[in-house]
């Protein structure tokens, strides 16, 4: 269909505004199209190439991701609708909140009523709503979870409200069912027989007397590393169904879609709906899995592929608009697809732990269309990669094109570098002192007590072995039975007897092990005491090296050099110094134990140190770990995102110390 068709003339004279929190959903028409406007949220900086590059796209910048009804209330939206005059509102999926907001603002909503969508989509009402077409569903019952007694495993339990496979659970044994009964006893669900086999999805558009069919795609489900959930959709492939489905099966899917379309017609529905189907791998029987009363997530790319294949033909998105605008369906066939695919990266545990940067330039260079989404909910779609070629070799494996996309994922450009094993062993032993019950080594700073000449374990400088020996002596002197000591008692005994390690003592032993493992030699032979006030003091420091090695010693230019945040490496340390004598007791340092990078850019730093927060109380302090997420490499390390003990921002004392001191990332000169 050309730009001069009745549809485009209609839109030109009667503008349509698509309001969506996800820009890609609105890309079913070429951008720009005169009269077609989009209002959307701003994703991460430069994440989506479309932001700021297309006419008629209004980007709302907000602190958090806004829902569609919230976007509608924004000043930018109100101003656009006012400027356009009589414009129709189009949304991805209608809701009661959207209907109320549109009514309040006096905006004409093009989508069908949300109540019809609710009846059609909810798992507990869907069977009744489908009427005779419910026979195509797998054998199922509607029941409260507490009343379910399964005789056949595995089985499928579907919650009433869910999407993208999040509310679909595969129950394989009694233990899993018991957990659900305990957690959701009164929840009403649909219990279905598990149909093992490939899943397909297709769309159709409902007109007053006609049903226009879209293409059938293979639904890519549960594929790692794109999702952690077994039933979560992670993309589509339009080429694979041609190899997997017979003509009879394809016709059967179309007939079922026509039957469902006629039910929608009875309810005065207009526009898109989608449905998922499964093919039993043994019997090859086709089952209807669910109905989606809305534009589905694959529509925009299906429409784009259709226009690329045949610019003069109809796309499913154009048919959607024709139906909503109550225009007749032209006597033109929908464009058939025999190729093309998309893969969706969801927010997985690996992605959360790694926090890679959403870079998109590499995908574009490979001829791929990509959309990055600023989402923070588990399993949310955060990266959508679209290809004119198929992405699957078969239902379980990516083809060469799919593997190329997988290799381009930010996660596959992330490297992790850690301290050497010898240093990691020291860290782990401080985190779990090898006592009858392993406990973290407490924090102890001798500066305040002023004890001189004591054993290193009693002045905050002891090695793990020395601390262990001193602890065992205390236990023996007090005739304590190891077997009767628990974690809390052991920590109390250590703290009450001033056994622990301070930040520089801990750093000394870790960096000493790292230096020896690197072949740089021991710290004792390397460390310089250029800051000593006299020759005799320097000589004494050389004889009692660890006892006299402080944060200031490590941070002195004779021993270390400052490095930029983008140069950071395991074995570096973050130094926090104070000028005044009174505040020097608050000097501190943390050792970088692990660095995650995406290509050359640092993403996350793990650090280890010994410290006592006031909130730790008398016995909760000691050696601990933290994470620094690099949010902006142009800012100081103290202004990045620090997480320790689950605390961030002003609640994170370590970061607050860094902010109140002269902070720098430093590296020992011989490293």
């Amino acid at each position: 269909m050309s730009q001069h068709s009745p549809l485009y003339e209609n839109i030109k004279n009667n503008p349509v505004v698509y309001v969506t929190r996800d820009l890609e959903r609105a890309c079913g028409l070429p951008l720009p199209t005169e009269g077609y406007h989009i209002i959307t949220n701003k994703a991460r900086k430069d994440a989506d190439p479309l932001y700021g590059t297309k006419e008629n796209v209004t980007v709302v910048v907000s602190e958090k991701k806004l829902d569609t009804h919230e976007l509608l209330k924004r000043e930018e939206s109100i101003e656009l609708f006012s400027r356009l005059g009589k414009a129709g509102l189009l949304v991805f999926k209608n809701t009661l909140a959207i209907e109320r907001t549109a009514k309040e603002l006096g905006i004409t909503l093009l989508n069908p009523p949300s109540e019809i969508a609710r009846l059609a989509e909810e798992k507990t009402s869907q069977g009744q709503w489908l009427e005779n077409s419910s026979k195509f569903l797998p054998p199922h019952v509607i029941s409260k979870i507490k009343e379910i007694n399964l005789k056949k495993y595995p089985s499928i339990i579907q919650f009433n409200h869910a999407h993208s496979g999040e509310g679909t659970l595969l129950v394989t044994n009694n233990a899993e069912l018991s957990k659900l009964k305990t957690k959701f006893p009164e929840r009403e669900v649909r219990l279905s027989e598990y149909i093992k086999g490939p899943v397909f999805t297709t769309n159709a558009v409902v007109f007053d007397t006609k049903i226009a069919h879209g293409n059938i795609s293979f639904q890519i489900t549960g594929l790692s590393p794109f999702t952690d959930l077994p039933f979560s959709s992670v993309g589509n492939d339009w080429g694979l169904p041609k190899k997997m489905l017979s003509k009879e099966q394809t016709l059967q899917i179309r007939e079922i879609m026509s039957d469902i379309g006629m039910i929608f017609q009875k309810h005065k529905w207009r526009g898109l709906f989608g449905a998922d189907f499964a093919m039993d791998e043994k019997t090859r029987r086709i089952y209807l899995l669910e109905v989606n009363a809305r534009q589905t997530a694959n529509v925009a790319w299906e429409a784009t592929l259709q226009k690329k294949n045949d610019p003069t033909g109809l796309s499913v998105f154009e048919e959607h608009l024709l139906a909503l605008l109550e225009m007749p369906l032209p006597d033109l066939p929908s464009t058939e697809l025999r190729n093309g695919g998309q893969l969706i990266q969801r927010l997985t545990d690996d992605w959360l732990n790694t926090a890679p940067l959403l870079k998109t330039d590499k995908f574009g260079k490979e001829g791929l269309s990509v959309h990055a989404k600023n989402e923070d909910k588990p399993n949310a779609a955060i990266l959508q990669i679209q290809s004119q070629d198929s992405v699957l070799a078969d239902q379980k494996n990516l083809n060469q094109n799919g593997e190329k996309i997988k290799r381009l994922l930010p996660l596959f450009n992330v490297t992790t570098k850690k301290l050497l094993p010898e240093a990691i062993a020291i860290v782990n032993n401080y985190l779990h002192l090898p006592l009858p019950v392993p406990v973290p080594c407490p924090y102890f700073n001798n500066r305040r007590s002023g004890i001189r000449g004591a054993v290193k374990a009693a002045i905050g400088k002891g090695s793990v072995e020395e601390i262990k020996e001193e602890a065992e002596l205390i236990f023996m002197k007090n005739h304590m039975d190891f077997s009767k000591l628990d974690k809390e008692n052991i920590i109390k005994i250590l703290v009450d007897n001033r056994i622990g390690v301070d930040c520089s003592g801990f750093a000394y032993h870790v960096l000493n092990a790292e230096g020896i493992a690197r072949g740089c030699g021991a710290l004792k032979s390397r460390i310089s005491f250029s800051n000593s006030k006299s020759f005799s003091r320097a000589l004494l420091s050389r004889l009692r090296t660890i006892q006299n090695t402080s944060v200031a010693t490590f941070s002195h230019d004779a021993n270390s050099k400052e490095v930029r945040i983008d140069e950071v490496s395991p074995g570096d340390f973050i130094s926090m110094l104070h000028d005044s004598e009174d505040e020097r007791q608050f000097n501190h340092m943390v050792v970088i134990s692990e660095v995650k990078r995406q290509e050359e850019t640092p993403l996350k730093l793990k650090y280890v140190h010994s410290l006592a927060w006031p909130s730790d109380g008398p016995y909760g302090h000691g050696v601990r770990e933290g994470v620094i997420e690099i949010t902006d490499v142009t800012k100081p390390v103290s202004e990045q995102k620090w997480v320790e003990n689950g605390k961030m921002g002003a609640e994170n004392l370590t970061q607050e110390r860094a902010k109140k001191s002269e902070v720098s990332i430093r590296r020992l000169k011989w490293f």
Side-chain angles (χ1 to χ4, degrees), residues 324-515:
L324 294 178
L325 295 171
E326 298 183 352
M327 297 178 67
L329 177 65
D331 190 17
L332 290 171
S334 297
T335 301
E336 183 182 4
L337 296 180
R338 307 193 69 84
N339 206 356
Q342 65 174 351
L343 287 165
I344 298 169
Q345 176 65 58
R346 296 191 176 276
L347 194 57
T348 61
D349 288 342
D350 279 350
W351 194 285
L352 281 169
N353 292 333
T354 304
L357 301 174
L358 288 174
K359 296 181 178 180
T360 58
D361 55 332
K362 287 189 174 182
F363 294 99
K365 290 175 182 177
E366 294 291 336
L368 300 163
S369 178
V370 61
H371 300 273
K373 309 163 195 290
N374 186 20
E375 300 285 355
D376 56 9
K377 294 180 181 178
N379 203 51
I382 52 175
L383 199 61
Q384 193 166 354
I385 309 108
Q386 299 166 329
S387 172
Q388 295 185 53
D389 297 316
S390 291
V391 295
L392 293 180
D394 54 50
Q395 59 181 298
K396 295 181 180 179
N397 298 289
L398 297 168
N399 62 14
Q400 188 174 356
N401 185 43
E403 287 291 344
K404 177 181 70 176
I405 292 172
K406 181 179 172 181
R407 289 193 300 271
L408 290 171
L409 288 173
L411 275 177
F412 283 78
N413 297 317
V414 172
T415 57
T416 301
K417 192 174 181 181
K418 302 180 181 182
L419 289 170
L420 294 177
E422 293 84 349
I424 291 175
I426 299 294
V427 171
N428 288 336
N429 281 334
Y430 274 108
L431 288 169
H432 313 281
L433 285 175
L435 298 173
V437 178
V439 298
C441 181
Y443 173 79
F444 178 69
N445 190 331
N446 188 51
R447 177 184 285 271
R448 297 168 192 173
S449 62
I451 299 173
R452 293 182 178 272
V455 295
K456 287 182 279 187
I459 59 171
K461 303 296 183 180
S463 67
V464 169
E465 292 77 14
E466 291 164 336
I467 290 171
K468 180 174 181 288
E469 289 174 5
E470 192 67 18
E472 289 173 345
L473 281 173
I474 293 169
F475 296 154
M476 292 174 63
K477 286 178 183 178
N478 291 278
H479 306 289
M480 296 175 179
D481 187 348
F482 279 167
S483 64
K484 295 182 179 179
L485 293 174
D486 59 17
K487 180 178 178 180
E488 288 71 23
N489 282 326
I490 291 176
I491 291 175
K492 188 175 188 302
I493 292 166
L494 292 174
V495 172
D496 290 347
N497 286 273
R498 297 184 173 184
I499 303 299
V501 68
D502 65 18
C503 65
S504 57
F506 170 73
Y508 186 99
H509 290 291
V510 175
L511 295 177
N512 184 58
E514 181 74 11

Side-chain angles (χ1 to χ4, degrees), residues 36 106 210 245 276 326 386 505 520 603 625-626 638:
Y36 182 66
K210 295 181 180 179
L245 294 172
D276 297 337
E326 298 183 352
Q386 299 166 329
C520 301
L603 301 174
E625 297 177 292
S638 58

Side-chain angles (χ1 to χ4, degrees), residues 82-340:
S82 176
R83 177 164 54 85
L84 293 175
K86 190 176 181 181
L89 167 64
L90 178 62
V91 298
F92 180 74
K93 179 181 179 179
N94 192 14
T95 65
L96 275 173
I98 293 172
E99 288 174 339
R100 291 179 186 136
T101 304
K103 186 176 181 179
E104 290 170 7
L105 297 173
I107 296 172
T108 301
L109 180 60
L110 300 177
N111 297 71
S114 62
E115 177 62 15
I116 304 175
R118 184 188 68 79
L119 291 171
E121 287 196 345
E122 288 185 354
K123 304 301 183 291
T124 56
S125 63
Q126 195 173 79
Q128 184 177 357
W129 185 87
L130 282 168
E131 300 174 355
N132 191 48
S133 293
S134 63
K135 66 185 179 185
F136 299 114
L137 292 168
H140 65 280
V141 294
I142 306 299
S143 173
K144 289 184 177 180
I145 291 182
K146 68 179 183 181
E147 297 170 355
I148 294 175
N149 291 302
L150 284 176
K151 297 180 180 179
K152 182 178 180 180
Y153 290 104
S155 290
I156 295 290
I157 288 179
Q158 290 178 294
F159 290 91
N160 214 22
H161 301 283
H163 63 88
S164 301
E166 294 178 34
T168 300
L169 303 176
L170 179 67
V171 182
T172 60
N173 54 57
N174 285 325
E176 292 175 354
L177 180 58
S178 295
K179 286 182 181 179
L180 290 173
K181 286 185 174 183
T182 301
K183 193 172 183 180
F184 309 107
E186 300 297 328
R187 191 75 62 88
E188 199 169 50
V189 296
R190 184 163 80 192
L191 174 66
S192 303
E193 182 180 315
Y194 174 51
I195 307 301
K196 187 177 181 182
V199 176
F200 303 90
T201 186
T202 187
N203 302 293
V205 181
V206 179
F207 289 80
D208 54 353
T209 60
K210 295 181 180 179
I211 308 295
H213 292 279
N215 290 273
I216 299 173
S217 68
F218 177 85
Q219 185 169 294
I220 308 170
T221 305
L223 187 65
S224 179
F226 301 97
T227 182
D228 293 329
L229 302 181
F231 295 104
S232 185
S233 172
V234 293
N236 306 85
D237 191 291
W238 281 271
L240 206 56
K242 302 293 188 291
K243 304 175 184 177
M244 299 179 65
L245 294 172
S246 66
K247 290 182 179 179
E248 291 75 18
Q249 289 170 321
T250 300
L251 181 60
Q252 184 183 4
I253 290 174
R254 292 286 170 85
E255 289 175 345
I256 296 173
M257 290 295 284
S258 293
D259 289 347
I260 298 171
M262 285 187 282
I263 298 171
F264 272 113
Q265 285 175 335
K266 286 172 57 177
H267 291 271
K268 306 300 182 184
W269 179 273
R270 297 293 180 267
L272 273 162
F273 77 92
D276 297 337
F277 296 85
M279 180 177 70
D280 189 301
E281 65 179 13
K282 291 182 178 179
T283 66
R284 295 185 62 83
R285 179 179 172 180
I286 297 294
Y287 288 92
L288 171 66
L289 295 183
E290 66 178 17
V291 175
N292 296 302
R294 54 178 167 83
Q295 173 189 334
T296 58
N298 59 25
V299 162
W301 186 239
E302 179 181 353
T304 301
L305 288 173
Q306 287 176 310
K307 300 307 286 185
K308 288 179 182 293
N309 279 270
D310 182 6
T312 65
L314 274 174
S315 76
V316 66
F317 194 83
E318 289 171 332
E319 292 168 338
H320 180 47
L321 281 174
L322 286 168
L324 294 178
L325 295 171
E326 298 183 352
M327 297 178 67
L329 177 65
D331 190 17
L332 290 171
S334 297
T335 301
E336 183 182 4
L337 296 180
R338 307 193 69 84
N339 206 356

